[in-house]
Amino acid sequence: MKTEATLAERIAAAIPRGVSVPIPILAHHASGAEVWDADGRRYIDFGGGIAVLNVGHRHPHVMAAVQAQIEAFTHTCFGVTPYEPYIKLAERMNQLAPISVSRKTIFLTTGAEAVENAVKIARHATGRSAIISFTGGFHGRTLMALALTGKINPYKAGFGPFPADTFHAPFPDAYRGGSTEKSLAAIERLFKSSVEPSRVAAIIIEPVQGEGGFNVAPFEFLRELRALCDRHGIVFIADEIQTGFGRTGRMFAVEHAGVEPDLITIAKSLAGGFPLSGVIGRAAIMDSVAPGGLGGTFAGSPVSCAAALAVLDVFR
Ligand SMILES: Cc1ncc(COP(=O)(O)O)c(C=O)c1O
């Protein structure tokens, strides 16, 4: 008890309270599905770093790949001096993606950054600005990702104004009285009252909402949404940051519905505990952005890419 009280006090004294730590157990070491605290107590880790550890803590194959990579080099910035793990991982993600036309993949660092980049790419490819997302959805903590997030407390309150031209449609959440029909009708109403479909660049949806309460989008709804996007030339973005990498029993959750997104955002369990995110998409859309328009200093870290290649081996 003493250790936990001291820890809670140190956290409160040194770290802003906006970084909420509801269970102050100090992680000392971890393996597989278990974490040990500083006093040697063993816990089953149901947190999994928020859907990050689908292959478990410190999987031996992942650790070996990371060790080999840090012996070689840890950073060059892919846009300055490219490296094999990024290229190889892009090739493997392109193969795995449930998209039947030619695909390309960019790597970044956080999930929010993947969402930001998917929006940039969709806007550039369509020449349109508006984005539709869903109530209860969570897309990250940067300002555009927050604009798309459909949950005020604790995420959005007090952080506005957000980037313009974002709209929320009701998620077809059967538990709270929603349905495929109601959500489709609400989108049609949005098109009549708030934004004409010819101005909509993208619709972004989590196939299963995570932060919103583990709500599964009906497969029928995802298929109808795909058809609606096709009718209006809207980019369909599946946010698979939480649902990807085997979490629903398939590599990507949209595979259950047989729906092909135009863009897929990925992160979390992709690199088995190392920071890595990305956007996979139809090559024609991904290539619309001119050289220099995408990237980032740490985007697609070689260490994280090496870890992700090992994670994919483990899945296979
Ligand atoms: C569906 C979804 N999108 C985006 C994000 C944001 O990811 P990150 O916290 O890595 O920025 C999350 C994180 O929980 C998420 O669940």
Side-chain angles (χ1 to χ4, degrees):
M1 282 310 288
K2 193 166 178 297
T3 311
E4 282 164 27
T6 312
L7 190 63
E9 281 162 21
R10 282 175 56 209
I11 291 173
I15 297 160
R17 66 195 185 98
V19 183
S20 147
V21 184
I23 309 168
I25 294 169
L26 185 67
H28 181 266
H29 62 279
S31 176
E34 296 169 331
V35 180
W36 283 257
D37 74 6
D39 295 329
R41 276 174 295 207
R42 183 166 68 114
Y43 299 87
I44 297 174
D45 185 8
F46 287 107
I50 314 184
V52 167
L53 295 161
N54 290 359
V55 298
H57 286 279
R58 299 175 60 254
H59 191 287
H61 187 60
V62 176
M63 297 315 289
V66 165
Q67 266 154 14
Q69 183 56 46
I70 60 178
E71 289 301 324
F73 63 96
T74 59
H75 176 77
T76 59
C77 182
F78 187 78
V80 177
T81 311
Y83 38 86
E84 177 72 15
Y86 188 123
I87 303 166
K88 202 168 164 187
L89 186 60
E91 289 166 349
R92 283 182 74 176
M93 292 315 311
N94 294 339
Q95 269 170 11
L96 283 173
I99 300 176
S100 52
V101 296
S102 175
R103 296 138 293 204
K104 291 200 174 182
T105 299
I106 177 179
F107 294 109
L108 304 141
T109 308
T110 67
E113 206 185 355
V115 170
E116 298 279 339
N117 277 273
V119 168
K120 280 171 64 179
I121 293 165
R123 282 183 165 174
H124 209 284
T126 57
R128 306 174 181 183
S129 58
I131 313 286
I132 296 175
S133 59
F134 290 88
T135 54
F138 183 79
H139 300 290
R141 286 184 161 86
T142 54
L143 283 171
M144 175 49 97
L146 264 188
L148 299 174
T149 289
K151 205 171 164 188
I152 295 293
N153 280 313
Y155 307 120
K156 298 178 76 158
F159 293 126
F162 300 109
D165 245 2
T166 63
F167 302 87
H168 288 91
F171 191 83
D173 173 0
Y175 181 67
R176 293 175 183 82
S179 69
T180 293
E181 295 69 32
K182 285 181 187 167
S183 288
L184 290 172
I187 295 174
E188 292 303 335
R189 278 201 302 282
L190 266 185
F191 288 164
K192 287 203 168 68
S193 65
S194 306
V195 60
E196 62 276 34
S198 59
R199 263 198 343 95
V200 178
I203 297 182
I204 181 165
I205 186 164
E206 294 161 89
V208 181
Q209 287 190 332
E211 300 294 308
F214 300 104
N215 305 310
V216 182
F219 300 161
E220 181 61 15
F221 179 70
L222 294 176
R223 291 194 276 264
E224 290 289 341
L225 204 58
R226 176 69 270 180
L228 181 142
C229 286
D230 289 341
R231 275 200 302 285
H232 297 293
I234 296 170
V235 173
F236 184 122
I237 307 174
D239 184 341
E240 294 258 11
I241 286 167
Q242 186 149 165
T243 49
F245 302 97
R247 197 159 167 82
T248 67
R250 305 288 278 268
M251 188 58 83
F252 296 102
V254 282
E255 292 174 44
H256 294 284
V259 162
E260 283 194 24
D262 298 306
L263 301 179
I264 305 171
T265 51
I266 51 174
K268 291 200 185 273
S269 272
L270 163 62
F274 291 83
L276 187 67
S277 69
V279 183
I280 315 170
R282 296 165 72 106
I285 296 176
M286 298 293 285
D287 271 336
S288 85
V289 181
L294 301 174
T297 306
F298 290 112
S301 147
V303 180
S304 298
C305 288
L309 286 165
V311 165
L312 294 182
D313 291 342
V314 174
F315 278 128
R316 195 170 53 192

mmCIF file of all heavy atoms in Angstrom, residues 50-52 109-115 137-142 145 149 155 204-211 239-243 265 267-268 276-277, ligand 1:
data_model
loop_
_atom_site.group_PDB
_atom_site.id
_atom_site.type_symbol
_atom_site.label_atom_id
_atom_site.label_comp_id
_atom_site.label_asym_id
_atom_site.label_seq_id
_atom_site.Cartn_x
_atom_site.Cartn_y
_atom_site.Cartn_z
ATOM 1 N N ILE A 50 -3.925 -0.528 -23.954
ATOM 2 C CA ILE A 50 -5.064 -0.133 -24.810
ATOM 3 C C ILE A 50 -4.918 -0.778 -26.195
ATOM 4 O O ILE A 50 -4.583 -0.118 -27.185
ATOM 5 C CB ILE A 50 -5.278 1.387 -24.942
ATOM 6 C CG1 ILE A 50 -5.188 2.090 -23.584
ATOM 7 C CG2 ILE A 50 -6.644 1.657 -25.600
ATOM 8 C CD1 ILE A 50 -5.500 3.596 -23.644
ATOM 9 N N ALA A 51 -5.156 -2.058 -26.244
ATOM 10 C CA ALA A 51 -5.256 -2.799 -27.516
ATOM 11 C C ALA A 51 -3.950 -2.813 -28.311
ATOM 12 O O ALA A 51 -3.951 -2.900 -29.532
ATOM 13 C CB ALA A 51 -6.388 -2.248 -28.383
ATOM 14 N N VAL A 52 -2.824 -2.728 -27.587
ATOM 15 C CA VAL A 52 -1.528 -2.645 -28.264
ATOM 16 C C VAL A 52 -0.783 -3.986 -28.258
ATOM 17 O O VAL A 52 0.070 -4.232 -29.097
ATOM 18 C CB VAL A 52 -0.671 -1.541 -27.599
ATOM 19 C CG1 VAL A 52 0.782 -1.612 -28.041
ATOM 20 C CG2 VAL A 52 -1.252 -0.167 -27.918
ATOM 21 N N THR A 109 3.558 7.628 -36.621
ATOM 22 C CA THR A 109 3.934 7.214 -35.273
ATOM 23 C C THR A 109 2.736 6.898 -34.378
ATOM 24 O O THR A 109 2.691 5.858 -33.738
ATOM 25 C CB THR A 109 4.832 8.289 -34.611
ATOM 26 O OG1 THR A 109 5.907 8.575 -35.501
ATOM 27 C CG2 THR A 109 5.410 7.803 -33.288
ATOM 28 N N THR A 110 1.741 7.797 -34.327
ATOM 29 C CA THR A 110 0.592 7.571 -33.437
ATOM 30 C C THR A 110 -0.687 7.376 -34.245
ATOM 31 O O THR A 110 -0.755 7.746 -35.424
ATOM 32 C CB THR A 110 0.361 8.771 -32.500
ATOM 33 O OG1 THR A 110 -0.061 9.893 -33.300
ATOM 34 C CG2 THR A 110 1.622 9.128 -31.730
ATOM 35 N N GLY A 111 -1.700 6.837 -33.558
ATOM 36 C CA GLY A 111 -2.987 6.635 -34.215
ATOM 37 C C GLY A 111 -3.594 7.944 -34.680
ATOM 38 O O GLY A 111 -4.101 8.043 -35.809
ATOM 39 N N ALA A 112 -3.533 8.966 -33.821
ATOM 40 C CA ALA A 112 -4.100 10.266 -34.197
ATOM 41 C C ALA A 112 -3.425 10.791 -35.465
ATOM 42 O O ALA A 112 -4.086 11.352 -36.358
ATOM 43 C CB ALA A 112 -3.924 11.260 -33.056
ATOM 44 N N GLU A 113 -2.121 10.579 -35.552
ATOM 45 C CA GLU A 113 -1.378 11.044 -36.725
ATOM 46 C C GLU A 113 -1.821 10.293 -37.990
ATOM 47 O O GLU A 113 -1.855 10.875 -39.081
ATOM 48 C CB GLU A 113 0.116 10.814 -36.452
ATOM 49 C CG GLU A 113 1.038 11.729 -37.207
ATOM 50 C CD GLU A 113 2.504 11.340 -36.972
ATOM 51 O OE1 GLU A 113 2.794 10.428 -36.169
ATOM 52 O OE2 GLU A 113 3.353 11.959 -37.630
ATOM 53 N N ALA A 114 -2.147 9.019 -37.824
ATOM 54 C CA ALA A 114 -2.654 8.249 -38.972
ATOM 55 C C ALA A 114 -3.983 8.829 -39.441
ATOM 56 O O ALA A 114 -4.223 8.990 -40.649
ATOM 57 C CB ALA A 114 -2.810 6.776 -38.594
ATOM 58 N N VAL A 115 -4.849 9.181 -38.477
ATOM 59 C CA VAL A 115 -6.158 9.760 -38.832
ATOM 60 C C VAL A 115 -5.955 11.101 -39.543
ATOM 61 O O VAL A 115 -6.573 11.383 -40.577
ATOM 62 C CB VAL A 115 -7.033 9.920 -37.560
ATOM 63 C CG1 VAL A 115 -8.279 10.743 -37.850
ATOM 64 C CG2 VAL A 115 -7.412 8.542 -37.012
ATOM 65 N N GLY A 137 -17.754 7.899 -31.615
ATOM 66 C CA GLY A 137 -16.491 7.462 -32.215
ATOM 67 C C GLY A 137 -15.296 8.096 -31.525
ATOM 68 O O GLY A 137 -15.413 9.160 -30.923
ATOM 69 N N PHE A 138 -14.154 7.427 -31.600
ATOM 70 C CA PHE A 138 -12.909 7.998 -31.070
ATOM 71 C C PHE A 138 -11.834 7.882 -32.133
ATOM 72 O O PHE A 138 -11.585 6.794 -32.656
ATOM 73 C CB PHE A 138 -12.456 7.284 -29.791
ATOM 74 C CG PHE A 138 -11.223 7.911 -29.195
ATOM 75 C CD1 PHE A 138 -11.327 9.074 -28.438
ATOM 76 C CD2 PHE A 138 -9.963 7.370 -29.408
ATOM 77 C CE1 PHE A 138 -10.192 9.682 -27.904
ATOM 78 C CE2 PHE A 138 -8.825 7.976 -28.878
ATOM 79 C CZ PHE A 138 -8.942 9.128 -28.119
ATOM 80 N N HIS A 139 -11.194 9.020 -32.451
ATOM 81 C CA HIS A 139 -10.169 9.000 -33.501
ATOM 82 C C HIS A 139 -8.851 9.621 -33.063
ATOM 83 O O HIS A 139 -7.950 9.762 -33.882
ATOM 84 C CB HIS A 139 -10.710 9.689 -34.760
ATOM 85 C CG HIS A 139 -11.936 9.013 -35.310
ATOM 86 N ND1 HIS A 139 -11.890 7.778 -35.914
ATOM 87 C CD2 HIS A 139 -13.235 9.379 -35.292
ATOM 88 C CE1 HIS A 139 -13.114 7.408 -36.270
ATOM 89 N NE2 HIS A 139 -13.952 8.357 -35.897
ATOM 90 N N GLY A 140 -8.730 10.020 -31.781
ATOM 91 C CA GLY A 140 -7.451 10.526 -31.300
ATOM 92 C C GLY A 140 -7.560 11.891 -30.671
ATOM 93 O O GLY A 140 -8.630 12.507 -30.651
ATOM 94 N N ARG A 141 -6.404 12.385 -30.181
ATOM 95 C CA ARG A 141 -6.409 13.597 -29.364
ATOM 96 C C ARG A 141 -5.815 14.821 -30.046
ATOM 97 O O ARG A 141 -5.712 15.882 -29.414
ATOM 98 C CB ARG A 141 -5.669 13.319 -28.060
ATOM 99 C CG ARG A 141 -6.449 12.450 -27.080
ATOM 100 C CD ARG A 141 -5.688 12.321 -25.783
ATOM 101 N NE ARG A 141 -6.527 11.905 -24.684
ATOM 102 C CZ ARG A 141 -6.815 10.635 -24.384
ATOM 103 N NH1 ARG A 141 -6.319 9.671 -25.124
ATOM 104 N NH2 ARG A 141 -7.575 10.356 -23.353
ATOM 105 N N THR A 142 -5.354 14.716 -31.282
ATOM 106 C CA THR A 142 -4.924 15.934 -31.982
ATOM 107 C C THR A 142 -6.183 16.648 -32.480
ATOM 108 O O THR A 142 -7.274 16.072 -32.466
ATOM 109 C CB THR A 142 -3.989 15.591 -33.152
ATOM 110 O OG1 THR A 142 -4.656 14.632 -33.987
ATOM 111 C CG2 THR A 142 -2.672 15.011 -32.666
ATOM 112 N N ALA A 145 -8.352 15.043 -35.299
ATOM 113 C CA ALA A 145 -8.848 13.757 -34.794
ATOM 114 C C ALA A 145 -9.909 13.988 -33.717
ATOM 115 O O ALA A 145 -10.917 13.281 -33.662
ATOM 116 C CB ALA A 145 -7.686 12.920 -34.252
ATOM 117 N N THR A 149 -13.846 12.960 -33.419
ATOM 118 C CA THR A 149 -14.284 12.164 -32.266
ATOM 119 C C THR A 149 -15.686 12.601 -31.860
ATOM 120 O O THR A 149 -15.995 13.787 -31.851
ATOM 121 C CB THR A 149 -13.258 12.342 -31.122
ATOM 122 O OG1 THR A 149 -12.066 11.642 -31.508
ATOM 123 C CG2 THR A 149 -13.747 11.804 -29.800
ATOM 124 N N TYR A 155 -12.921 13.972 -23.700
ATOM 125 C CA TYR A 155 -11.950 14.245 -24.768
ATOM 126 C C TYR A 155 -11.994 15.661 -25.354
ATOM 127 O O TYR A 155 -10.966 16.267 -25.595
ATOM 128 C CB TYR A 155 -12.109 13.221 -25.891
ATOM 129 C CG TYR A 155 -12.049 11.804 -25.406
ATOM 130 C CD1 TYR A 155 -13.123 10.937 -25.583
ATOM 131 C CD2 TYR A 155 -10.925 11.339 -24.729
ATOM 132 C CE1 TYR A 155 -13.069 9.629 -25.114
ATOM 133 C CE2 TYR A 155 -10.870 10.035 -24.254
ATOM 134 C CZ TYR A 155 -11.937 9.186 -24.446
ATOM 135 O OH TYR A 155 -11.888 7.912 -23.977
ATOM 136 N N ILE A 204 -15.430 8.567 -42.119
ATOM 137 C CA ILE A 204 -14.532 7.718 -41.322
ATOM 138 C C ILE A 204 -15.344 6.997 -40.264
ATOM 139 O O ILE A 204 -16.185 7.597 -39.593
ATOM 140 C CB ILE A 204 -13.380 8.546 -40.694
ATOM 141 C CG1 ILE A 204 -12.430 7.631 -39.894
ATOM 142 C CG2 ILE A 204 -13.877 9.684 -39.813
ATOM 143 C CD1 ILE A 204 -11.090 8.283 -39.555
ATOM 144 N N ILE A 205 -15.098 5.684 -40.130
ATOM 145 C CA ILE A 205 -15.851 4.890 -39.160
ATOM 146 C C ILE A 205 -14.968 3.802 -38.548
ATOM 147 O O ILE A 205 -14.118 3.227 -39.243
ATOM 148 C CB ILE A 205 -17.109 4.264 -39.817
ATOM 149 C CG1 ILE A 205 -17.979 3.556 -38.757
ATOM 150 C CG2 ILE A 205 -16.746 3.298 -40.966
ATOM 151 C CD1 ILE A 205 -19.395 3.256 -39.225
ATOM 152 N N GLU A 206 -15.171 3.552 -37.263
ATOM 153 C CA GLU A 206 -14.577 2.373 -36.619
ATOM 154 C C GLU A 206 -15.542 1.206 -36.861
ATOM 155 O O GLU A 206 -16.709 1.300 -36.471
ATOM 156 C CB GLU A 206 -14.474 2.571 -35.106
ATOM 157 C CG GLU A 206 -13.534 3.658 -34.641
ATOM 158 C CD GLU A 206 -13.874 4.057 -33.207
ATOM 159 O OE1 GLU A 206 -13.333 3.454 -32.277
ATOM 160 O OE2 GLU A 206 -14.694 4.971 -33.025
ATOM 161 N N PRO A 207 -15.100 0.100 -37.433
ATOM 162 C CA PRO A 207 -16.011 -1.035 -37.639
ATOM 163 C C PRO A 207 -16.579 -1.558 -36.317
ATOM 164 O O PRO A 207 -17.686 -2.065 -36.271
ATOM 165 C CB PRO A 207 -15.136 -2.090 -38.312
ATOM 166 C CG PRO A 207 -13.965 -1.355 -38.851
ATOM 167 C CD PRO A 207 -13.762 -0.145 -37.986
ATOM 168 N N VAL A 208 -15.780 -1.444 -35.261
ATOM 169 C CA VAL A 208 -16.279 -1.666 -33.900
ATOM 170 C C VAL A 208 -15.788 -0.474 -33.088
ATOM 171 O O VAL A 208 -14.580 -0.243 -33.002
ATOM 172 C CB VAL A 208 -15.720 -2.966 -33.274
ATOM 173 C CG1 VAL A 208 -16.287 -3.161 -31.868
ATOM 174 C CG2 VAL A 208 -16.016 -4.175 -34.136
ATOM 175 N N GLN A 209 -16.723 0.294 -32.504
ATOM 176 C CA GLN A 209 -16.273 1.421 -31.688
ATOM 177 C C GLN A 209 -15.581 0.901 -30.437
ATOM 178 O O GLN A 209 -16.059 -0.053 -29.813
ATOM 179 C CB GLN A 209 -17.464 2.295 -31.290
ATOM 180 C CG GLN A 209 -18.004 3.111 -32.445
ATOM 181 C CD GLN A 209 -19.017 4.147 -32.007
ATOM 182 O OE1 GLN A 209 -19.705 3.987 -31.007
ATOM 183 N NE2 GLN A 209 -19.111 5.220 -32.768
ATOM 184 N N GLY A 210 -14.441 1.521 -30.097
ATOM 185 C CA GLY A 210 -13.700 1.099 -28.913
ATOM 186 C C GLY A 210 -14.051 1.961 -27.716
ATOM 187 O O GLY A 210 -14.821 1.566 -26.842
ATOM 188 N N GLU A 211 -13.540 3.209 -27.723
ATOM 189 C CA GLU A 211 -13.809 4.135 -26.614
ATOM 190 C C GLU A 211 -15.303 4.382 -26.452
ATOM 191 O O GLU A 211 -15.779 4.692 -25.371
ATOM 192 C CB GLU A 211 -13.098 5.473 -26.853
ATOM 193 C CG GLU A 211 -11.597 5.373 -26.973
ATOM 194 C CD GLU A 211 -10.939 4.947 -25.677
ATOM 195 O OE1 GLU A 211 -11.202 5.565 -24.640
ATOM 196 O OE2 GLU A 211 -10.169 3.971 -25.704
ATOM 197 N N ASP A 239 -11.301 3.195 -39.725
ATOM 198 C CA ASP A 239 -10.333 3.394 -38.647
ATOM 199 C C ASP A 239 -10.181 2.055 -37.921
ATOM 200 O O ASP A 239 -10.999 1.684 -37.086
ATOM 201 C CB ASP A 239 -10.807 4.499 -37.690
ATOM 202 C CG ASP A 239 -9.768 4.799 -36.605
ATOM 203 O OD1 ASP A 239 -8.885 3.940 -36.379
ATOM 204 O OD2 ASP A 239 -9.841 5.873 -35.976
ATOM 205 N N GLU A 240 -9.126 1.336 -38.285
ATOM 206 C CA GLU A 240 -8.866 -0.009 -37.721
ATOM 207 C C GLU A 240 -7.739 0.054 -36.697
ATOM 208 O O GLU A 240 -7.053 -0.940 -36.447
ATOM 209 C CB GLU A 240 -8.525 -0.994 -38.853
ATOM 210 C CG GLU A 240 -9.678 -1.270 -39.798
ATOM 211 C CD GLU A 240 -10.362 -2.608 -39.538
ATOM 212 O OE1 GLU A 240 -10.088 -3.246 -38.495
ATOM 213 O OE2 GLU A 240 -11.185 -3.007 -40.386
ATOM 214 N N ILE A 241 -7.543 1.247 -36.135
ATOM 215 C CA ILE A 241 -6.453 1.423 -35.174
ATOM 216 C C ILE A 241 -6.637 0.494 -33.978
ATOM 217 O O ILE A 241 -5.678 -0.115 -33.504
ATOM 218 C CB ILE A 241 -6.369 2.915 -34.759
ATOM 219 C CG1 ILE A 241 -5.762 3.702 -35.927
ATOM 220 C CG2 ILE A 241 -5.588 3.110 -33.468
ATOM 221 C CD1 ILE A 241 -5.874 5.194 -35.833
ATOM 222 N N GLN A 242 -7.874 0.363 -33.509
ATOM 223 C CA GLN A 242 -8.129 -0.511 -32.362
ATOM 224 C C GLN A 242 -8.585 -1.911 -32.805
ATOM 225 O O GLN A 242 -8.321 -2.899 -32.129
ATOM 226 C CB GLN A 242 -9.179 0.121 -31.436
ATOM 227 C CG GLN A 242 -9.366 -0.669 -30.179
ATOM 228 C CD GLN A 242 -9.756 0.107 -28.936
ATOM 229 O OE1 GLN A 242 -10.182 -0.493 -27.974
ATOM 230 N NE2 GLN A 242 -9.614 1.421 -28.919
ATOM 231 N N THR A 243 -9.258 -1.994 -33.947
ATOM 232 C CA THR A 243 -9.849 -3.282 -34.350
ATOM 233 C C THR A 243 -8.895 -4.144 -35.181
ATOM 234 O O THR A 243 -9.179 -5.322 -35.403
ATOM 235 C CB THR A 243 -11.125 -3.042 -35.184
ATOM 236 O OG1 THR A 243 -10.831 -2.084 -36.205
ATOM 237 C CG2 THR A 243 -12.260 -2.558 -34.317
ATOM 238 N N THR A 265 -6.783 3.172 -41.490
ATOM 239 C CA THR A 265 -5.800 3.666 -40.526
ATOM 240 C C THR A 265 -5.438 2.526 -39.580
ATOM 241 O O THR A 265 -6.302 1.778 -39.131
ATOM 242 C CB THR A 265 -6.352 4.862 -39.713
ATOM 243 O OG1 THR A 265 -7.616 4.518 -39.162
ATOM 244 C CG2 THR A 265 -6.491 6.095 -40.576
ATOM 245 N N ALA A 267 -2.573 1.247 -36.257
ATOM 246 C CA ALA A 267 -1.607 1.636 -35.199
ATOM 247 C C ALA A 267 -1.637 0.551 -34.130
ATOM 248 O O ALA A 267 -1.722 -0.630 -34.460
ATOM 249 C CB ALA A 267 -1.941 3.018 -34.615
ATOM 250 N N LYS A 268 -1.592 0.967 -32.890
ATOM 251 C CA LYS A 268 -1.737 0.080 -31.716
ATOM 252 C C LYS A 268 -0.977 -1.237 -31.842
ATOM 253 O O LYS A 268 0.235 -1.248 -31.745
ATOM 254 C CB LYS A 268 -3.217 -0.121 -31.413
ATOM 255 C CG LYS A 268 -3.868 1.180 -30.876
ATOM 256 C CD LYS A 268 -5.125 0.920 -30.147
ATOM 257 C CE LYS A 268 -5.855 2.184 -29.710
ATOM 258 N NZ LYS A 268 -5.408 2.676 -28.417
ATOM 259 N N LEU A 276 4.080 2.949 -33.664
ATOM 260 C CA LEU A 276 4.019 2.916 -35.134
ATOM 261 C C LEU A 276 2.555 2.992 -35.554
ATOM 262 O O LEU A 276 1.699 2.340 -34.958
ATOM 263 C CB LEU A 276 4.624 1.609 -35.662
ATOM 264 C CG LEU A 276 4.767 1.512 -37.183
ATOM 265 C CD1 LEU A 276 5.797 2.518 -37.700
ATOM 266 C CD2 LEU A 276 5.178 0.094 -37.614
ATOM 267 N N SER A 277 2.292 3.799 -36.583
ATOM 268 C CA SER A 277 0.945 3.844 -37.159
ATOM 269 C C SER A 277 1.093 3.958 -38.660
ATOM 270 O O SER A 277 2.219 4.043 -39.182
ATOM 271 C CB SER A 277 0.167 5.046 -36.608
ATOM 272 O OG SER A 277 0.709 6.266 -37.083
HETATM 273 C C1 LIG B 1 -10.157 3.887 -33.170
HETATM 274 C C2 LIG B 1 -9.034 4.755 -32.700
HETATM 275 N N1 LIG B 1 -8.548 5.708 -33.516
HETATM 276 C C3 LIG B 1 -7.538 6.499 -33.142
HETATM 277 C C4 LIG B 1 -6.955 6.381 -31.897
HETATM 278 C C5 LIG B 1 -5.825 7.292 -31.508
HETATM 279 O O1 LIG B 1 -4.628 6.582 -31.384
HETATM 280 P P1 LIG B 1 -3.394 7.203 -30.553
HETATM 281 O O2 LIG B 1 -3.798 7.219 -29.113
HETATM 282 O O3 LIG B 1 -2.237 6.288 -30.853
HETATM 283 O O4 LIG B 1 -3.159 8.588 -31.102
HETATM 284 C C6 LIG B 1 -7.433 5.409 -31.001
HETATM 285 C C7 LIG B 1 -6.847 5.271 -29.649
HETATM 286 O O5 LIG B 1 -7.439 4.746 -28.720
HETATM 287 C C8 LIG B 1 -8.501 4.571 -31.410
HETATM 288 O O6 LIG B 1 -9.008 3.635 -30.589
#
